[in-house]
C-alpha cells in the first residue's frame, strides 16, 4: 500500500460480504485485519465471464463504489473518508 510518503505491506486482510451466486451482486463489504478496518459500499458491478468448453471457465467481477475507514501503514494510521474504490473478485474453474 502507498499512502502519502509511506509505502509498505499490509500483512493480512479478510473480506466479508454476501453475494448472489447467480448474478454475483454483493452487499456492503467489511475489509478487516490487524492494520485495516474498512467499509466498501459497491455502487456498480461489471462482470466478464469467459468459458472454454472442457478446459476452463472464468468469472471476473469488478465492484465500483466508496471506501471508508482506517488503516495503519509504517506505524501511522490513515483515515479514509468515502473515496472512490474498486474491489475485484475472480473465479477460475478447470
Amino acid at each position: 500500500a502507498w499512502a502519502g510518503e509511506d509505502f509498505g505491506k499490509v500483512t493480512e486482510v479478510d473480506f466479508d460480504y454476501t453475494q448472489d451466486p447467480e448474478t454475483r451482486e454483493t452487499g456492503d463489504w467489511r475489509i478487516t485485519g490487524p492494520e485495516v478496518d474498512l467499509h466498501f459500499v459497491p455502487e456498480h458491478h461489471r462482470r466478464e465471464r469467459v468459458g472454454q468448453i472442457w478446459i476452463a471457465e472464468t468469472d471476473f467481477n469488478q465492484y465500483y463504489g466508496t471506501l471508508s475507514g482506517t488503516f495503519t501503514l509504517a506505524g501511522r494510521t490513515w483515515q479514509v473518508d468515502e473515496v472512490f474504490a474498486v474491489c475485484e473478485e475472480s473465479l477460475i474453474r478447470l
Side-chain angles (χ1 to χ4, degrees), residues 17-63:
Y17 58 95
T18 58
Q19 182 180 71
D20 182 296
E22 295 299 318
T23 66
R24 299 303 229 203
E25 293 289 335
T26 73
D28 293 0
W29 297 33
R30 293 286 301 162
I31 305 167
T32 58
E35 302 145 329
V36 176
D37 185 13
L38 297 169
H39 181 230
F40 175 69
V41 179
E43 297 170 15
H44 304 285
H45 172 220
R46 182 180 84 83
R47 185 176 192 187
E48 183 176 322
R49 296 175 78 181
V50 178
Q52 297 177 359
I53 299 175
W54 301 302
I55 298 173
E57 175 187 345
T58 62
D59 191 352
F60 177 74
N61 295 271
Q62 285 183 321
Y63 304 91

